[in-house]
Amino acid sequence: MDSKSAEPGEYEVICAPDITGLIAHEAFGHGVEMDMFVKGRAKGAEYMGKQVSSSITTMHDGAKAANHVSSYLFDDEGTLGSDTTIIQDGILKNGISDLLSALKLGTAPTGNGKRQSFERKAYARMTNTFFAPGTDSYEDMLASIRYGYQIEGLYSGMEDPKNWGIQCIALLGREIVDGKLTGNLISPVVMTGFVPELLQSISMVSEKVELSGGGFCGKGYKEFVKTSNGGPYIKAKVRLG
Amino acid sequence: MIEKIKEILANHKDISGYKIKETTIHSNELFFVKKNVDMDRAKRVHHYNLTVYVDFTEDGMNYKGSSNTDIHPTMNDTEIESAIRETAFAAKFVKNPYYPLVQPAESQQASALSAFAKESFPYWMNEITKAIYKNDIYEKGGINSCEIFLDKIETRIVNSEGVDVTDSGYRCMIEFITTWKEEGEEIELYRRIDCSDFDEELFAEEVKNMITICRERAIATSTPALKTASVILTREAVKDFFSYYYSKSNAASVYNQSSTWKVGDQLQGKEVKGDRITMTLDPFMKNSTDSESFDSEGFPLKPVKLIEDGELKRYAADTRYAYYLGVVPTGNIGNIIIESGSKTIEELKKEPYLMTTAFSDFTVDTMTGDFCGEIRLATYFDGRTTTPVTGGSVTGNINELHHELYLSRERSKDNNFEGPAMIMLKNVTVAGIAKD
């Protein structure tokens, strides 16, 4: 209730695990759903094997990659769930696919064919999507920021797989001055940017991964399925509004 | 099946009431990549959803517990009996204050007949496809992919008080991605159309609009760092903006204390510089997928004015929350009509503005009034020149801004919304990305 509006601008921020997960989900989760490759809708297809993120970042998706709400033995088409490394040390490595997109692209299906219910068609969808842990302590990350915010409380997000825009809305930003939380709050927090710039700006990654999420990931504005997202605390440079 | 469920329910003396909702959906679906059909599907599904109510008293308070379950068409008597027993057991743990169920009405107004009823599904899928691709004629851009869903939905609601109502309608959903490529990267944008009637002009024009918007985005420059600006909202954002007033004037929001609005409140404040809002809910709006004769409880619907000249006149309330607040129920109505404002679009554009055309996702927090969105395309007028811009975001709070908003005289319609085509808000925060 005491929060103020954010002064628009670029800031150094620490993203809490739920916001790290939101970035993973919107930035390179939807963008590597390989039915998007089939349609020519994913810029990621041109960047396979290329650097898309800071070299201290690794990102996974998979029913087998974590024990959470989208863990299963096999997907809605019968393909065994897997653990797909999407980004390895900053290099874009793999996409995630349902049967049809894998067939069309000549790749192995990754067990990501999911449908909203028996009434709907299967699409290539995310499962448990997260950034892997790093080596920095949260205390060191906090101490490294002269002026910025700690962003937390996932509200919503939207992907832009073709043009690599990103929109993440968080409930809260905690002001950081000279490495300490001041107790001042901003809300809501609208974080926007160009995906590679945002991911390249990740300079510190904490040691512990946390996942959260109970569902409601849509393909556009429909086909809602259960997914989880997460990661460690990350330090990055973002534009807030 | 309904009679069978009723017979089994009659044996459960611990159940105080019930509601059965029967839904049949007949659907055709087409999935396109570029202009080629990638997949076609058809379905006919039948759902029975049963809600059971259990009245009980605890510490002198009367409660109505409820729980619901799906009764599948293939279930036998033993399976239905088991499902009902488990649902009634669960209902006993739900401690909602007592409320009455909907009573039968003498009559209900029928929904308007859709053109979709006049021909077969394959005929209409063909007509919709032709309309959608009519303006996909450009060399540098067009439709990347498209999904078309056409559903016929038949609904029957029966309850223990004697309600037995039926209705049928159509739901057409068209989702498409348009692209445009100039010298740089190819640009894409998403659009979804929902409707209940065939409108060739709407489909064709909307595709043309989206291709035009893509072309503009392809040549757009970065949004300037304005800090604040007069922002003109257009298209879907206008509809999303008024979702705040719709939510806040709902009795459930008031009862749950997520709205503090009271009947008689001047919602935009006592000193309003711009236009005052007038909002009506109309359950019989043409070409809306939310038009229906009765709500999900079987309550018969009719148009109702909630806000007039900025003053809250009454709450929108289903039977339960109307009983809780002691007001007359309106039923749940999904169609919103907003009266036009005082200025033409030309008049709104006389001073510098940032006019938004497409957001990544325009979000309105219906509890706090906060709104925000990343700009995919906007037009910036600095008082001399007009420039297409992209990137950055707009943020604001409706409570802090609606004492001075201007609604266009021109109108637009988008499925369950009919109202001014544009809204101008003053002093909206704009996080631009241009370096200068």
Side-chain angles (χ1 to χ4, degrees):
Chain A
M1 296 296 286
D2 297 329
S3 64
K4 293 179 179 172
S5 300
E7 179 73 20
E10 276 198 341
Y11 297 92
E12 283 195 315
V13 299
I14 294 175
C15 296
D18 57 344
I19 303 301
T20 303
L22 182 62
I23 292 170
H25 184 100
E26 303 298 351
F28 263 105
H30 282 293
V32 293
E33 291 169 340
M34 292 176 80
D35 51 352
M36 297 291 199
F37 289 21
V38 174
K39 293 172 182 171
R41 284 194 60 200
K43 199 184 185 77
E46 305 161 26
Y47 278 78
M48 281 296 166
K50 295 180 183 170
Q51 179 119 21
V52 293
S53 177
S54 153
S55 61
I56 58 169
T57 53
T58 292
M59 182 179 146
H60 291 260
D61 175 277
K64 222 170 79 173
N67 185 14
H68 218 280
V69 297
S70 195
S71 298
Y72 46 73
L73 180 60
F74 51 86
D75 70 7
D76 293 338
E77 299 176 302
T79 306
L80 289 176
S82 63
D83 176 359
T84 306
T85 302
I86 293 169
I87 297 171
Q88 177 76 55
D89 301 328
I91 309 293
L92 185 59
K93 289 287 187 182
N94 297 292
I96 54 177
S97 60
D98 60 328
L99 270 178
L100 270 181
S101 57
L103 187 67
K104 287 182 176 171
L105 296 166
T107 57
T110 56
N112 289 77
K114 294 168 68 175
R115 56 182 95 231
Q116 179 176 295
S117 76
F118 73 94
E119 295 186 40
R120 313 293 290 196
K121 140 188 184 347
Y123 295 80
R125 305 303 302 274
M126 276 176 274
T127 54
N128 308 301
T129 312
F130 56 94
F131 280 107
T135 56
D136 299 295
S137 73
Y138 168 77
E139 289 74 19
D140 287 347
M141 293 169 73
L142 191 62
S144 73
I145 292 182
R146 178 169 288 181
Y147 188 81
Y149 291 96
Q150 178 170 308
I151 312 296
E152 58 191 60
L154 184 155
Y155 186 78
S156 72
M158 182 51 70
E159 76 275 17
D160 185 9
K162 182 75 177 176
N163 303 118
W164 277 0
I166 185 169
Q167 169 178 311
C168 297
I169 302 174
L171 292 174
L172 202 62
R174 297 182 188 276
E175 187 185 51
I176 304 169
V177 178
D178 293 332
K180 293 186 175 64
L181 293 166
T182 63
N184 294 329
L185 307 174
I186 54 169
S187 179
V189 184
V190 184
M191 196 161 69
T192 58
F194 185 53
V195 166
E197 280 179 10
L198 194 160
L199 297 187
Q200 293 278 10
S201 78
I202 296 173
S203 55
M204 297 177 89
V205 179
S206 77
E207 298 156 313
K208 190 182 168 196
V209 170
E210 293 174 39
L211 273 80
S212 58
F216 303 115
C217 165
K219 192 99 166 167
Y221 289 91
K222 60 183 184 64
E223 316 298 345
F224 293 99
V225 296
K226 282 194 282 190
T227 58
S228 76
N229 315 300
Y233 285 90
I234 58 170
K235 179 186 168 188
K237 197 168 185 182
V238 302
R239 185 170 56 249
L240 302 182
Chain B
M1 178 59 103
I2 285 183
E3 290 310 311
K4 187 192 282 187
I5 296 169
K6 284 164 75 174
E7 278 174 27
I8 298 172
L9 281 164
N11 297 328
H12 285 263
K13 303 304 176 195
D14 54 338
I15 291 175
S16 318
Y18 63 82
K19 181 188 75 176
I20 306 166
K21 184 176 184 184
E22 178 186 11
T23 312
T24 307
I25 305 172
H26 177 199
S27 174
N28 271 201
E29 304 168 8
L30 280 175
F31 301 81
F32 293 86
V33 177
K34 304 289 183 187
K35 293 180 180 175
N36 302 315
V37 176
D38 188 54
M39 183 184 287
D40 69 312
R41 302 175 82 241
K43 72 177 183 193
R44 187 179 178 86
V45 292
H46 208 153
H47 296 279
Y48 295 91
N49 185 266
L50 169 68
T51 305
V52 298
Y53 302 92
V54 176
D55 293 345
F56 57 97
T57 303
E58 206 173 286
D59 299 330
M61 288 286 293
N62 294 325
Y63 295 100
K64 183 180 284 292
S66 66
S67 184
N68 67 77
T69 188
D70 289 325
I71 304 292
H72 302 292
T74 52
M75 286 167 89
N76 62 32
D77 288 10
T78 308
E79 290 167 329
I80 296 171
E81 161 66 30
S82 173
I84 290 174
R85 191 171 58 247
E86 288 176 13
T87 307
F89 179 73
K92 290 170 191 164
F93 295 95
V94 178
K95 286 176 69 175
N96 288 322
Y98 172 82
Y99 58 94
L101 298 182
V102 173
Q103 298 295 312
E106 287 181 7
S107 63
Q108 68 180 59
Q109 187 176 331
S111 300
L113 192 66
S114 165
F116 289 131
K118 295 175 184 169
E119 296 287 349
S120 68
F121 268 30
Y123 172 86
W124 286 118
M125 294 302 277
N126 191 35
E127 291 300 305
I128 295 167
T129 303
K130 282 195 289 185
I132 286 291
Y133 282 91
K134 184 179 175 184
N135 286 321
D136 185 10
I137 52 173
Y138 302 95
E139 201 175 307
K140 291 184 174 179
I143 296 173
N144 165 279
S145 49
C146 175
E147 298 185 0
I148 301 170
F149 294 70
L150 180 58
D151 299 344
K152 181 182 183 186
I153 303 161
E154 295 168 298
T155 308
R156 181 184 176 192
I157 292 177
V158 175
N159 80 3
S160 50
E161 310 306 297
V163 167
D164 189 348
V165 289
T166 58
D167 200 0
S168 70
Y170 290 82
R171 183 173 59 200
C172 177
M173 195 283 290
I174 305 162
E175 183 188 70
F176 58 89
I177 307 293
T178 50
T179 60
W180 192 271
K181 185 167 180 4
E182 289 288 340
E183 295 302 313
E185 296 283 340
E186 186 175 67
I187 295 297
E188 76 161 38
L189 284 169
Y190 169 98
R191 176 70 168 126
R192 170 173 162 162
I193 300 171
D194 291 280
C195 58
S196 62
D197 213 336
F198 181 70
D199 188 338
E200 181 186 356
E201 191 181 338
L202 166 74
F203 300 160
E205 279 303 304
E206 200 49 37
V207 170
K208 190 176 179 181
N209 287 340
M210 291 307 296
I211 292 172
T212 304
I213 293 170
C214 271
R215 186 174 62 206
E216 290 285 302
R217 191 183 175 198
I219 59 169
T221 56
S222 297
T223 302
L226 300 170
K227 302 290 183 189
T228 61
S230 293
V231 168
I232 300 176
L233 300 175
T234 69
R235 298 172 61 82
E236 297 101 312
V238 175
K239 175 179 172 176
D240 294 336
F241 182 86
F242 287 110
S243 66
Y244 174 71
Y245 298 88
Y246 178 79
S247 175
K248 282 285 186 186
S249 57
N250 191 285
S253 304
V254 175
Y255 181 78
N256 294 325
Q257 299 183 15
S258 58
S259 170
T260 55
W261 286 11
K262 294 182 176 61
V263 172
D265 279 357
Q266 297 295 323
L267 304 177
Q268 297 169 257
K270 288 180 181 164
E271 291 184 21
V272 178
K273 288 184 187 170
D275 291 318
R276 293 173 187 271
I277 293 166
T278 295
M279 181 171 84
T280 302
L281 305 184
D282 181 1
F284 303 107
M285 182 185 284
K286 285 184 181 173
N287 203 6
S288 164
T289 53
D290 280 348
S291 289
E292 52 196 357
S293 304
F294 49 84
D295 71 5
S296 60
E297 303 301 315
F299 184 88
L301 302 174
K302 57 185 179 184
V304 55
K305 185 175 283 185
L306 299 184
I307 301 169
E308 189 165 22
D309 293 329
E311 181 183 328
L312 183 66
K313 292 293 185 183
R314 65 184 294 182
Y315 296 126
D318 66 8
T319 306
R320 176 182 168 192
Y321 288 102
Y323 181 80
Y324 287 170
L325 297 186
V327 298
V328 177
T330 62
N332 273 325
I333 304 168
N335 298 322
I336 301 171
I337 297 175
I338 304 291
E339 297 298 319
S340 297
S342 55
K343 294 189 178 186
T344 63
I345 291 171
E346 197 177 330
E347 287 167 340
L348 289 177
K349 289 181 173 178
K350 277 186 176 165
E351 56 185 283
Y353 62 81
L354 181 77
M355 185 174 74
T356 63
T357 308
F359 287 101
S360 295
D361 181 32
F362 186 71
T363 300
V364 177
D365 185 329
T366 54
M367 190 158 83
T368 63
D370 289 328
F371 64 86
C372 52
E374 186 209 15
I375 301 164
R376 288 201 173 162
L377 179 68
T379 305
Y380 176 54
F381 174 59
D382 62 5
R384 286 178 301 170
T385 55
T386 304
T387 315
V389 296
T390 187
S393 62
V394 298
T395 53
N397 183 284
I398 293 173
N399 291 313
E400 293 167 8
L401 299 173
H402 65 174
H403 66 281
E404 189 176 7
L405 60 73
Y406 296 92
L407 309 174
S408 71
R409 216 178 283 169
E410 293 86 345
R411 296 180 70 72
S412 68
K413 181 169 183 314
D414 183 359
N415 190 26
N416 59 354
F417 174 81
E418 189 189 318
M422 297 185 186
I423 307 170
M424 176 182 266
L425 298 163
K426 304 278 191 170
N427 296 314
V428 179
T429 302
V430 179
I433 59 172
K435 299 296 179 193
D436 54 336

